[in-house]
Amino acid sequence: MSFRNPSTSSHDMEEARDRSYGFQLESEIESTETPCEELPEGFRYIADTRRQSIGNLNHHADIEDTRCDIRKRGYLPVENYGIIGNMRTIALVGTDASVDFFCFPKFDSPSIFCRMLDKDKGGHFSIAPRTPHTSNKQMYLPNSNILTTRFLSDEGVAEIVDYMHVPAQGQRLSTKPLLQWLIRKVRVIRGSVAFKMECYPAFNYALDAHTTRIVQDETTEDQKAMAGVEAKLYPEEDWNYYASRDRVIFESPNLNMDLRHLVKCGDFDCPLVKIHVDEDDQAHRGPGVWADFDLKETQEVVFVFREVPRMESSEMMQNETMADRKLRMAVDPPLSMSLLEALFRQTGTFWLNWVTQSTYKGRWREHVMRSALTLKLLTYEPTGAVVAAPTFGIPEAIGGPRNWDYRYVWVRDSSFTIYAFLRLGFTHEAGRYMNYIEDRCNDLNEDGSLNIMYSIDGVKRLDEFELNHLDGYRGSRPVRIGNGAYDHLQLDIYGELMDGIYLYNKYGSPISYDMWCSVRKLTDYVCDNWDVPDMSIWEVRGRKQQFTYSLVMCWVAIDRALRLSDKRVFPCPNRERWVRTRDEIYEVVQTKCYNPELKMFTQSVESFDALDASTLIMPLVFFSSPTDPRLLNTIERIMMPPEKGGLVANDLVFRYNFLTTDDGVGGLEGAFSMCTFWLVEALTRAGKYDKRLLNRAVIMFERMLSYGNHLGLFSEEVARSGELLGNFPQAFTHLSFISAAYNLDRVLTHDRPKSE
C-alpha cells in the first residue's frame, strides 16, 4: 500500500502494490529494505536489535516478567496496578492486592504508602493468601471504579474488593457525607483460604517517624444510639458478625491514621482476626502491624484505613447543636455491617449513575468508558481540576533520571480535557474544569502570562525536591516531588487554552464578558511573544528554541480568539494586529519549519533536520489539511523505523530521536502513548479521503489498545520491551485515546470513503 495523495487517480491506486494486506503502508515496507543511518560508535537506535551495544547502558536483563503477581525484585511491573479513588486522592492496588501507592488526603499530599518507589521503606498495605494459588485475576465491577482481585486455587477462591467511598448523587451530605476511607473487603468465594494482612505506613514520603499502638475502643452513647437507628433502617437478623474493638492507631507529627476491621462469620464459627504490632520492623520509621487469619466460604473481613477523627472537647460537645451532633456522628459512625453495605451501595450507585450520563454509543465503548472513569478519578472534585497523573517518580526508563512529579494540573491539557468530556456527554465535568481554568485566567502573572502548571488548588509555586532516601522504582533515581518546570516558558499552552475555551463556548455554555477580557489579554500576550524561543510541549531542559509545536499552537490561540470574537460579536480592538500576527506565524511554519529535502515538518526553526511527533497535532487543530502533501510526507517520515530516520517501532511512536536530539536531560525513554494516538487520529482524518490510510489507522489503534494493562489503563510511555513506563495512569494518554476513538468511530460510521 503506497502513501499517496488522495488526488491520485483510482486506476493508479489499483495499480499500487499492496504486500501487507492492509496491515502496513507500502512506504513502511520499502523503508525496511533501505540501509540504516549511521550513528556514533557505541550507540544504536531504539528498536535496532541488529546492533549489540547502546553505550554502557544495558537493560535487557532488567525486563520484568509480567505474567503473574510475583515480585521478582521487590517490585511489580507498572502495568500490574489498578487504581481506586474518591476524586480527592487515589490508591494503586497491585495484582497481588497490595496497596503500594497512597497519598493522603489529597493528590499532592505526602505519601503514606509508597512501596512502588522503595520496596523496603516505602510502606504498603497488603492482603494476600497464604494458601498457594495458581492464578490471579483483577477487574473492575462493571461501570464502576470498584476494584476486585481474585486468587484461585484448588483449595479455594479468595476475593479482595477495594474502593474509596463516594456518596451517591443527591444524597443528604449532612447525614451521609463523604467518608475518606480506604475500604478493603476480603472474602472467600469457594473453599477455605488462609490470609496474611500487613499494614506498614511510611508517613510524609517515608521521612517522618511514627508510633503504633493498639487500643480497645469503648462504644460511646452516641455511637450506641446511631447503631440503634441503623439497626432499624437496615435489619441485620440474618447477619452474624462482630466489629473488633481492637483499633490500630498510627501517630506521626502531622497525621494520625487508624485501622479498624469487621468480621462477618457466615455459615461457620466466627474467625479470629488478631492484629500484632511488628516491633522488630527496622525498615520503616515506625512499626507496622500484621495479622494471619483463615476464612471459609461465606466469611468476610473488612478493613478500614482512615484518618483519626478529630476529638471534640467535652465543653464543645455540650454546646453543639443537634445538626452539629448529627454531622459529627455521620463522619465517625460505628462500624457495622449495615454501614459498610450502605457505603458500598452508595459508591456503586454513584459510579453507575455517572456512567449512564454518557452519550457515547460508538465502537470501543467499554475502553472509552474506562478512560472516562479514569479521568473522573483524576479529577479533584472541590475545584474541578484534573491532575496529569496521580503519581510521582515512576521512571520513563528503568534506571534513568527522567522521574517527574505529575500530580499537578497542566494548562496544556485544557482543550483535550474539555473536548473529551464534551464529546462523551459529561458537560458538568467540562464546566467544572472550565471554572478552574477561568480562575487561573483571573490570576495572571505580572507580565500577563500564565504558569504552565498549577496545583489542584491553584498554587503557582511548585518547587522541586529530590527524595534521596528513596531508592526509586527498581533503582531509578532520583525520586522527585514538586516540578521545576512550573516557571518554564512554554508558549504552546495558550493554544490549548484558547482551543478549550472556544470548544466550551461552542458545545458547552457561552463564556462571560469577563472571560472574554481575559482572552483578549492572553491573545495580546501571544502576539507580543510568539517568536520568543521556549521549551515547548516536551519541557526540554536544554537550549530554548522556536519549536514548531509552539508556533502552531500560538497560531491556534490567535485563530480561536478571532473565531470567538466573530461568533459572539465580542469587541476586538486589536483585530487587525491579531489577523496579521496569525498569518505571519503560519508563513513562518510553512517556510522555516518545513525541510523540502527531507520532506517533513521539523522540530524547530533551529533544528531543521530533526523530526518531532508533536507536528502530528497540525490536522487535529485545523492548522493543516489532513491531506496536505507536506503533512502526508511528514506522516510518512514519522512512520519509518528509528534506524531509517523515523519515529515508529512496533506501531509505537517516539516523540523524537533522543539519541540524536539533546533535550538537556539525558538517558533513555520509551515510546509516547499520546503520540501514537495522535498518529492514529492524523491517519483517521486523512483516511476520510483514502480508505487505506483509514485501515492503517484502525490496525494501529487496535494494536495500541493491547498496550493498555489488563484493566484498560495507560501510562505515559511504553518501553522497548513492551512494559509500561512513566507516571501511571496518565490523563493525557487517556484524553488522546478518547479523541482518537471518537474520531475513528465517526469516520468509520459516517464518513467512510465511498470506494468501499
Side-chain angles (χ1 to χ4, degrees):
M1 185 190 326
S2 62
F3 210 109
R4 296 171 180 266
N5 191 294
S7 62
T8 306
S9 69
S10 59
H11 175 73
D12 290 338
M13 296 287 281
E14 292 173 0
E15 292 290 336
R17 294 182 300 167
D18 187 355
R19 295 180 286 173
S20 70
Y21 306 101
F23 288 89
Q24 283 184 296
L25 302 178
E26 184 65 18
S27 59
E28 294 178 271
I29 299 175
E30 291 173 352
S31 70
T32 64
E33 301 169 349
T34 59
C36 300
E37 296 180 1
E38 293 296 323
L39 274 176
E41 185 176 354
F43 290 88
R44 69 173 176 80
Y45 279 95
I46 303 159
D48 185 6
T49 56
R50 291 168 289 180
R51 306 183 192 186
Q52 300 304 311
S53 173
I54 187 161
N56 59 356
L57 297 172
N58 182 7
H59 296 283
H60 290 285
D62 226 22
I63 296 174
E64 185 69 60
D65 181 356
T66 64
R67 292 175 295 176
C68 61
D69 60 344
I70 303 301
R71 296 172 180 264
K72 292 187 176 180
R73 288 179 291 278
Y75 297 95
L76 285 178
V78 173
E79 57 261 40
N80 281 20
Y81 285 95
I83 63 168
I84 58 174
N86 58 4
M87 284 86 74
R88 270 78 176 169
T89 189
I90 64 96
L92 264 63
V93 184
T95 50
D96 61 353
S98 176
V99 176
D100 288 345
F101 188 95
F102 180 51
C103 295
F104 185 87
K106 302 189 297 184
F107 289 107
D108 54 0
S109 299
S111 63
I112 297 178
F113 303 124
C114 198
R115 183 157 66 165
M116 282 191 78
L117 298 176
D118 193 305
K119 62 182 176 60
D120 297 318
K121 53 181 174 287
H124 66 279
F125 183 5
S126 65
I127 304 173
R130 303 192 331 268
T131 304
H133 59 280
T134 54
S135 66
N136 59 299
K137 311 290 182 182
Q138 193 175 62
M139 61 170 284
Y140 286 107
L141 296 184
N143 298 314
S144 80
N145 280 312
I146 299 173
L147 187 66
T148 67
T149 308
R150 287 194 171 195
F151 300 91
L152 300 93
S153 69
D154 286 341
E155 289 74 20
V157 176
E159 180 180 69
I160 299 172
V161 180
D162 292 304
Y163 66 98
M164 293 188 198
H165 171 243
V166 183
Q169 293 172 331
Q171 83 181 29
R172 184 179 299 174
L173 297 182
S174 60
T175 56
K176 297 179 181 179
L178 168 73
L179 299 177
Q180 281 201 266
W181 295 1
L182 174 58
I183 302 173
R184 315 201 67 192
K185 180 166 69 174
V186 188
R187 63 174 183 159
V188 171
I189 307 299
R190 174 182 59 78
S192 60
V193 180
F195 293 91
K196 185 178 186 66
M197 182 279 294
E198 296 180 349
C199 185
Y200 286 74
F203 292 91
N204 190 23
Y205 306 111
L207 287 170
D208 288 353
H210 71 269
T211 60
T212 304
R213 56 194 176 96
I214 299 178
V215 300
Q216 294 286 314
D217 263 358
E218 295 294 338
T219 305
T220 66
E221 292 300 320
D222 282 339
Q223 289 176 329
K224 289 179 181 178
M226 177 69 74
V229 171
E230 287 193 346
K232 295 178 181 177
L233 294 176
Y234 310 105
E236 298 178 329
E237 290 83 356
D238 297 331
W239 288 347
N240 185 16
Y241 78 96
Y242 71 89
S244 174
R245 292 176 57 193
D246 288 348
R247 180 164 69 105
V248 183
I249 300 180
F250 304 99
E251 295 177 306
S252 73
N254 300 306
L255 183 65
N256 298 328
M257 306 292 289
D258 70 13
L259 178 67
R260 301 177 295 165
H261 68 276
L262 178 146
V263 179
K264 180 180 177 182
C265 306
D267 299 334
F268 304 92
D269 292 338
C270 287
L272 176 64
V273 181
K274 182 65 175 176
I275 296 180
H276 307 273
V277 177
D278 186 0
E279 300 290 357
D280 297 327
D281 179 20
Q282 300 297 320
H284 305 89
R285 301 210 61 195
V289 297
W290 62 272
D292 288 342
F293 56 94
D294 300 337
L295 297 182
K296 297 179 181 179
E297 190 172 331
T298 72
Q299 295 182 329
E300 298 178 5
V301 178
V302 183
F303 293 95
V304 176
F305 188 70
R306 62 165 188 172
E307 183 178 7
V308 176
R310 183 167 58 93
M311 297 298 293
E312 303 286 357
S313 67
S314 57
E315 181 179 347
M316 293 179 63
M317 292 175 63
Q318 289 176 358
N319 297 327
E320 68 182 355
T321 65
M322 182 61 69
D324 291 337
R325 180 173 177 269
K326 287 183 177 180
L327 181 59
R328 176 170 57 82
M329 290 305 303
V331 298
D332 185 21
L335 274 188
S336 66
M337 187 60 67
S338 60
L339 170 69
L340 293 173
E341 289 291 324
L343 297 183
F344 182 84
R345 183 171 58 253
Q346 292 167 18
T347 303
T349 300
F350 173 87
W351 290 119
L352 179 60
N353 290 343
W354 188 80
V355 167
T356 56
Q357 297 173 28
S358 174
T359 58
Y360 183 75
K361 307 298 181 186
R363 296 170 176 80
W364 308 290
R365 188 177 188 277
E366 183 177 350
H367 294 280
V368 171
M369 286 301 99
R370 177 48 51 197
S371 287
L373 283 161
T374 302
L375 291 174
K376 183 64 172 175
L377 277 184
L378 301 186
T379 301
Y380 183 60
E381 188 69 24
T383 63
V386 178
V387 295
T391 58
F392 62 90
I394 302 179
E396 296 176 11
I398 302 302
R402 300 171 184 260
N403 317 313
W404 315 111
D405 188 348
Y406 276 16
R407 298 173 298 164
Y408 306 112
V409 186
W410 267 253
V411 175
R412 178 175 297 113
D413 296 359
S414 300
S415 66
F416 304 100
T417 303
I418 293 171
Y419 179 85
F421 279 139
L422 289 175
R423 285 306 191 194
L424 298 182
F426 299 114
T427 54
H428 173 75
E429 284 68 25
R432 293 283 292 142
Y433 186 82
M434 188 67 191
N435 291 339
Y436 175 86
I437 291 299
E438 187 169 358
D439 289 341
R440 308 289 75 75
C441 292
N442 292 331
D443 184 26
L444 300 178
N445 297 324
E446 291 183 3
D447 61 354
S449 66
L450 285 165
N451 276 25
I452 69 162
M453 71 180 82
Y454 297 85
S455 77
I456 53 179
D457 296 310
V459 175
K460 294 181 179 180
R461 191 176 182 90
L462 306 172
D463 293 327
E464 184 173 294
F465 303 96
E466 295 182 359
L467 301 177
N468 293 317
H469 65 291
L470 295 179
D471 191 47
Y473 178 76
R474 288 165 59 187
S476 303
R477 306 179 70 179
V479 175
R480 297 182 178 91
I481 56 172
N483 200 303
Y486 74 90
D487 59 352
H488 278 189
L489 177 64
Q490 297 175 20
L491 293 170
D492 66 282
I493 65 170
Y494 300 99
E496 290 97 347
L497 174 67
M498 296 296 192
D499 196 36
I501 295 171
Y502 175 79
L503 287 170
Y504 187 72
N505 181 83
K506 184 176 181 179
Y507 298 109
S509 176
I511 68 168
S512 66
Y513 173 74
D514 289 334
M515 188 65 199
W516 169 247
C517 291
S518 297
V519 167
R520 283 194 340 207
K521 291 178 184 178
L522 292 171
T523 308
D524 288 337
Y525 176 84
V526 172
C527 289
D528 292 336
N529 295 277
W530 67 269
D531 56 351
V532 176
D534 72 338
M535 299 172 179
S536 200
I537 183 174
W538 305 134
E539 298 179 353
V540 298
R541 301 201 174 188
R543 68 186 178 110
K544 296 180 180 179
Q545 303 179 58
Q546 279 190 278
F547 286 95
T548 303
Y549 184 86
S550 290
L551 291 170
V552 169
M553 297 313 291
C554 284
W555 177 91
V556 170
I558 302 173
D559 177 74
R560 299 308 190 266
L562 286 167
R563 293 192 192 196
L564 198 54
S565 172
D566 292 339
K567 189 174 184 65
R568 293 289 306 280
V569 201
F570 279 129
C572 187
N574 294 330
R575 174 183 294 275
E576 291 185 6
R577 185 191 181 207
W578 290 6
V579 173
R580 185 171 62 252
T581 305
R582 180 191 63 179
D583 294 346
E584 183 180 357
I585 295 173
Y586 196 93
E587 292 289 351
V588 168
V589 172
Q590 295 290 358
T591 57
K592 296 185 178 181
C593 299
Y594 184 78
N595 188 323
E597 294 183 6
L598 296 177
K599 295 183 178 181
M600 68 179 194
F601 283 106
T602 61
Q603 184 180 60
S604 66
V605 173
E606 297 84 354
S607 301
F608 203 57
D609 58 351
L611 186 60
D612 194 311
S614 65
T615 56
L616 292 167
I617 200 67
M618 290 181 177
L620 279 61
V621 296
F622 305 109
F623 178 88
S624 170
S625 161
T627 59
D628 188 303
R630 290 189 171 200
L631 178 68
L632 293 178
N633 288 336
T634 303
I635 294 175
E636 180 176 351
R637 183 82 177 183
I638 288 174
M639 294 182 70
M640 292 181 180
E643 64 270 20
K644 309 296 177 60
L647 297 175
V648 174
N650 195 27
D651 273 1
L652 297 172
V653 182
F654 294 83
R655 55 181 181 171
Y656 49 75
N657 192 327
F658 59 82
L659 291 178
T660 58
T661 302
D662 180 19
D663 59 10
V665 180
L668 304 178
E669 68 176 18
F672 257 61
S673 303
M674 173 189 68
C675 292
T676 304
F677 287 124
W678 281 2
L679 178 55
V680 168
E681 190 162 349
L683 288 170
T684 298
R685 292 173 184 264
K688 182 177 178 181
Y689 309 96
D690 184 343
K691 69 175 183 179
R692 288 187 278 190
L693 299 184
L694 184 60
N695 291 340
R696 186 67 181 92
V698 172
I699 292 297
M700 182 173 287
F701 183 79
E702 291 283 0
R703 283 179 175 163
M704 187 59 201
L705 286 183
S706 70
Y707 288 101
N709 76 349
H710 58 290
L711 299 170
L713 304 180
F714 292 96
S715 66
E716 182 180 27
E717 300 182 21
V718 180
R720 292 172 296 151
S721 60
E723 63 182 319
L724 302 188
L725 294 174
N727 286 300
F728 175 84
Q730 202 209 29
F732 219 155
T733 303
H734 284 275
L735 292 168
S736 57
F737 162 75
I738 290 172
S739 181
Y742 179 88
N743 285 285
L744 187 54
D745 175 72
R746 184 173 62 176
V747 173
L748 289 171
T749 303
H750 303 294
D751 301 318
R752 200 172 182 88
K754 294 181 180 179
S755 58
E756 295 185 70

